[in-house]
Amino acid sequence: MSISTGIWVMVTAMLIVFEAAGQAGAQEIVYPPNAGVFNVVTDGGIDNGGTTDVTAKLQQIINDGTNKTQRRLQVLYFPKGTYLVSGQLQMKLDTSRAATSHSHGPWLVGESKEGTIIRLKDGTWPKPMYDLEKGDENGRAVQKIYEQTVLSCGDSTNTTFNKIIRNLTVNTGKNNAGAVGVMYNTSNTGFLGEVDIISEDGQGVAGLALAGVENGPGQVRNIRIRGFDIGLYNATDYVTACSDITIQNPNKLGLVNHGQTAGESIVIEMDKTGATAIRNEKNGVLSVVGLTIKGNAPSQPAIMNDGSLYVRDLKTSGFASAVHNSDAKEPSPSGNELDEYCTGAVVGLFENSKMSLRLPIKKQPLVPYEQDFSKWSNPLDYEAVGDGQADDTAAVQKALNEPGKTHVVIPYGKRFRIRGPLTVGPEVVRIVGTTGVMPFSVDDNASLTIGDGQSPVVVVEGLTNCPTIYVRTQRTVVLDSVRSNCEKPQMPKAPPGQPKNLPPAKYFTVGYYLMGSGDVFVNDTGTTLVVDNPRQHVWLRHYNSELGQGAALVPVEVKAGSVWMLGWKSENLCQRVRIHKEGVMELIGYNNYEVSSTRQKDGDWPIFEVIEGQFSCSSLNQRGSQSNKNLVWETRNGATRKLTVKENPGNKNFGLYTGYDPRQLPALRGE
């Protein structure tokens, strides 16, 4: 066998493994001994045999892992086993509604979704203290549910940052009709992912409650909820990106939406006679692509809508109709399946099909973790200092390029000074950060380049204040909870061998510069990005941009290539998106928020600027005391038209905007 043939066989085999892992939605997450994570069993002495009540001891560990500064936060690792609790586990130190102090982390990471189980003792909360179904319009009158929630992120303003719950099961046991499985609350960054929430006897107030004062934005992905009165209750103030959610056998409702939900691939299976599956409340903004609802309510609609609604590829069975609008001014659509529907008028400046782009949607691969620790490297193995002052560039580069090492860990408690360009080695499959916040001290000319190599997929996860990342490869790249340095107004210098066509200096530092020809999957970030290759395709889920003051900053620029985005919240009226002639962008769920009078005022720039490019956006929702008056500027064949608040029938919001050349659709969709 030739060398090239051997590499091809290896790559094909790895792709099969990655695809299988993605379909199963399961990973065995491990960390090497020098990663600096806190193992709650070996380091914390927690019993995971399922018979000892570990509530108090585990709560103390969570308190110790939560930090009020942005310098460090702890990764708490839960090996396989059952952790028996008889009360709430709270991930925030100050739980009062008046709390203003920041809270970062911790990250709760299980070894196995099926094997790591936090289980509520039977009969702990047999009676509900609050009925979520009768909550007020904005969903905040739910204080008492937090006292009977197994795993809670806290309920205090918008300062509970970077909460990550990953790869485990929360089981509310039996005879706990008053229990909520998980109350997930995060601000700006964080995700709840690869989690099962189960009631053994079907009882419980709710499986997952996205509630609390000023909750969000955040990401919820790969979640299965079984049982409970309500499967998913969303009262987020800011848009939450929800992917691959399965809700099974709720007693009353599958989904109640008070906030803004941007969703994809949601399945609701109702086995209760006469029950509507989804209720979108008066102030709710619900935008979902790929929604399947199965029930047994021939006299009821699958979705009862009182708010703003956008659905695509909606399939229902066992209901009288797919959607019923309570507002008589908004006629309800007919039928049990809808290709595409939104409340309000479809907005556009030029003649087109009045439908969204419908770009292909891909799922990111779940890449297996290397179980052999001899194949992991660590900068500390190569004489890195990690004090934030000494130059650790060479040591980090050695860790990234050591032969035979496929995984690189950036350990907790260290800060590595990067003064120049770094390159990911050809054998590296995954780079894992366990520090959570500030693992690097980054100079202006620092960068991290991902080029071609042996592995078909490269994963970078859990890093903040990372150097600017250049993607120049045909391989698949996953950037998961990675936030690159984007706080300086000047551009970084191009690494050796990189093209010089970087954005001009008037832009803020670009966090991701994507110029490859493969697929890029991005989760949970606020990093600025430029896409600059017609063959570069990006799927971005949960984006939060809050750049500083300035005139018409551009956090996202699509010069060439395509971007499909789920859930974007911005906070600053000077931000905009720019899409050029070879660029394509589809956005599902956008929340534009601004209340502070001290920030940059609205000026002569739009939220979206389409310069001969292709663009569609569902559910633009502006909230706060201030808003952008210019929504979209679109240039087509040299002529520019402007959509402003004055001209838009939906005032400062819209349900669906379409701006593209219909003749290009077959090529864009791969038809």
Side-chain angles (χ1 to χ4, degrees):
M1 187 188 320
S2 66
I3 294 177
S4 60
T5 302
I7 293 176
W8 174 249
V9 170
M10 178 192 70
V11 169
T12 302
M14 293 181 74
L15 281 171
I16 293 173
V17 170
F18 295 156
E19 180 66 21
Q23 290 174 349
Q27 292 178 299
E28 299 284 325
I29 297 180
V30 295
Y31 298 98
N34 59 0
V37 305
F38 188 92
N39 187 311
V40 300
V41 174
T42 59
D43 299 324
I46 296 294
D47 184 294
N48 62 346
T51 58
T52 302
D53 188 340
V54 298
T55 310
K57 196 170 184 179
L58 193 52
Q59 182 62 61
Q60 186 58 54
I61 291 173
I62 292 174
N63 289 347
D64 293 342
T66 304
N67 205 298
K68 288 188 177 181
T69 75
Q70 298 190 39
R71 294 300 174 186
R72 297 178 184 176
L73 58 84
Q74 187 81 49
V75 175
L76 305 181
Y77 181 65
F78 289 69
K80 295 178 186 178
T82 299
Y83 300 82
L84 184 66
V85 297
S86 59
Q88 179 190 105
L89 297 177
Q90 171 66 252
M91 294 173 66
K92 198 170 193 302
L93 297 177
D94 188 343
T95 62
S96 67
R97 284 179 171 264
T100 57
S101 60
H102 289 186
S103 170
H104 296 263
W107 296 359
L108 307 186
V109 181
E111 180 180 359
S112 163
K113 182 175 71 172
E114 293 78 13
T116 299
I117 302 169
I118 299 175
R119 187 185 187 280
L120 182 63
K121 186 178 179 181
D122 293 344
T124 299
W125 297 318
K127 295 182 179 180
M129 294 179 66
Y130 193 85
D131 186 353
L132 275 177
E133 195 175 1
K134 297 180 180 179
D136 64 5
E137 288 184 354
N138 62 19
R140 291 179 176 176
V142 291
Q143 296 95 322
K144 292 185 178 180
I145 73 166
Y146 306 114
E147 299 176 28
Q148 295 189 172
T149 297
V150 178
L151 185 55
S152 172
C153 292
D155 174 36
S156 50
T157 71
N158 58 349
T159 58
T160 176
F161 297 109
N162 212 7
K163 303 297 185 186
I164 291 181
I165 304 172
R166 183 182 183 193
N167 213 47
L168 51 80
T169 291
V170 174
N171 186 325
T172 61
K174 299 177 182 179
N175 192 24
N176 285 308
V180 173
V182 177
M183 197 292 289
Y184 183 67
N185 186 349
T186 195
S187 301
N188 300 349
T189 58
F191 72 88
L192 172 75
E194 295 76 58
V195 171
D196 283 352
I197 306 172
I198 295 171
S199 169
E200 290 186 14
D201 59 5
Q203 299 185 68
V205 174
L208 173 59
L210 305 176
V213 176
E214 295 192 79
N215 193 351
Q219 182 184 25
V220 177
R221 69 192 197 204
N222 298 324
I223 305 295
R224 180 171 66 107
I225 302 169
R226 191 182 74 201
F228 304 97
D229 288 345
I230 298 172
L232 170 57
Y233 179 91
N234 185 11
T236 54
D237 280 63
Y238 312 103
V239 63
T240 301
C242 297
S243 303
D244 299 290
I245 312 295
T246 299
I247 300 171
Q248 300 172 323
N249 307 331
N251 299 316
K252 296 181 179 179
L253 288 159
L255 167 62
V256 177
N257 184 57
H258 286 274
Q260 184 165 355
T261 301
E264 60 159 331
S265 300
I266 297 178
V267 176
I268 301 177
E269 300 172 349
M270 308 285 292
D271 69 345
K272 304 298 181 183
T273 301
T276 290
I278 295 177
R279 199 172 69 201
N280 189 34
E281 302 288 7
K282 182 178 179 180
N283 293 328
V285 181
L286 182 62
S287 184
V288 183
V289 296
L291 175 59
T292 301
I293 307 174
K294 302 176 183 179
N296 184 18
S299 64
Q300 297 292 325
I303 301 174
M304 180 65 73
N305 178 51
D306 289 324
S308 299
L309 177 67
Y310 171 85
V311 289
R312 194 171 80 206
D313 297 329
L314 168 62
K315 297 180 180 180
T316 72
S317 60
F319 296 93
S321 62
V323 175
H324 176 76
N325 294 313
S326 298
D327 187 352
K329 297 178 182 179
E330 187 73 49
S332 300
S334 60
N336 291 95
E337 296 188 1
L338 297 174
D339 289 338
E340 186 167 46
Y341 169 79
C342 74
T343 53
V346 178
V347 183
L349 292 171
F350 292 84
E351 183 180 358
N352 55 47
S353 64
K354 304 300 182 183
M355 297 180 66
S356 64
L357 279 170
R358 285 181 169 268
L359 296 181
I361 301 174
K362 285 190 177 181
K363 307 295 183 184
Q364 77 172 61
L366 292 179
V367 181
Y369 283 71
E370 177 56 64
Q371 306 291 307
D372 182 356
F373 292 146
S374 69
K375 296 181 180 180
W376 289 66
S377 65
N378 184 325
L380 297 176
D381 298 334
Y382 304 94
E383 300 182 351
V385 177
D387 64 355
Q389 301 297 321
D391 186 354
D392 289 324
T393 310
V396 174
Q397 182 59 67
K398 288 180 180 179
L400 290 169
N401 203 41
E402 182 71 13
K405 307 290 187 179
T406 64
H407 281 51
V408 181
V409 65
I410 308 300
Y412 171 78
K414 299 296 180 181
R415 194 175 185 193
F416 302 100
R417 184 97 184 236
I418 308 300
R419 293 184 175 274
L422 298 170
T423 302
V424 177
E427 296 183 48
V428 171
V429 174
R430 173 179 268 111
I431 302 172
V432 181
T434 64
T435 55
V437 180
M438 305 295 280
F440 297 110
S441 177
V442 179
D443 287 8
D444 291 343
N445 62 342
S447 63
L448 178 67
T449 297
I450 303 173
D452 289 332
Q454 297 173 13
S455 170
V457 184
V458 177
V459 180
V460 184
E461 63 181 40
L463 294 175
T464 56
N465 203 46
C466 188
T468 296
I469 295 177
Y470 295 90
V471 173
R472 299 188 68 234
T473 178
Q474 62 184 347
R475 299 189 287 174
T476 295
V477 175
V478 178
L479 303 172
D480 204 353
S481 295
V482 175
R483 287 166 281 281
S484 294
N485 181 37
C486 57
E487 295 300 326
K488 298 186 176 74
Q490 69 270 18
M491 290 299 304
K493 297 178 181 178
Q498 297 286 0
K500 304 298 183 180
N501 59 336
L502 297 178
K506 66 180 180 180
Y507 289 78
F508 267 37
T509 301
V510 175
Y512 302 149
Y513 202 100
L514 310 179
M515 59 186 82
S517 58
D519 294 342
V520 177
F521 298 90
V522 182
N523 290 290
D524 179 29
T525 192
T527 294
T528 58
L529 73 150
V530 170
V531 183
D532 193 10
N533 188 324
R535 294 182 294 168
Q536 185 81 90
H537 302 294
V538 182
W539 289 267
L540 196 163
R541 295 165 170 95
H542 173 35
Y543 185 59
N544 177 76
S545 55
E546 296 187 24
L547 296 177
Q549 296 186 25
L553 303 172
V554 184
V556 174
E557 182 156 20
V558 188
K559 302 176 76 173
S562 69
V563 176
W564 183 89
M565 189 183 300
L566 181 75
W568 181 351
K569 175 257 181 182
S570 66
E571 186 172 336
N572 197 318
L573 299 182
C574 64
Q575 297 185 52
R576 70 201 296 185
V577 181
R578 185 176 287 140
I579 306 156
H580 296 266
K581 185 175 182 178
E582 293 186 278
V584 184
M585 181 174 179
E586 181 176 8
L587 172 57
I588 309 297
Y590 181 88
N591 184 296
N592 195 26
Y593 170 72
E594 183 58 79
V595 294
S596 175
S597 61
T598 62
R599 299 204 181 197
Q600 177 69 40
K601 300 294 186 180
D602 185 25
D604 191 25
W605 53 75
I607 301 174
F608 302 103
E609 184 177 11
V610 186
I611 308 171
E612 310 287 353
Q614 319 303 319
F615 172 69
S616 70
C617 173
S618 75
S619 301
L620 180 140
N621 178 39
Q622 295 196 87
R623 57 180 298 273
S625 59
Q626 303 179 46
S627 62
N628 283 94
K629 296 177 178 60
N630 286 281
L631 304 180
V632 183
W633 293 357
E634 184 175 347
T635 300
R636 195 71 55 195
N637 298 318
T640 299
R641 298 177 183 176
K642 299 181 179 182
L643 179 69
T644 68
V645 167
K646 180 180 179 180
E647 299 163 339
N648 178 33
N651 199 7
K652 63 182 181 179
N653 306 321
F654 57 68
L656 176 63
Y657 180 91
T658 61
Y660 55 82
D661 182 350
R663 294 170 296 180
Q664 298 197 30
L665 283 183
L668 295 174
R669 296 172 180 171
E671 298 173 349

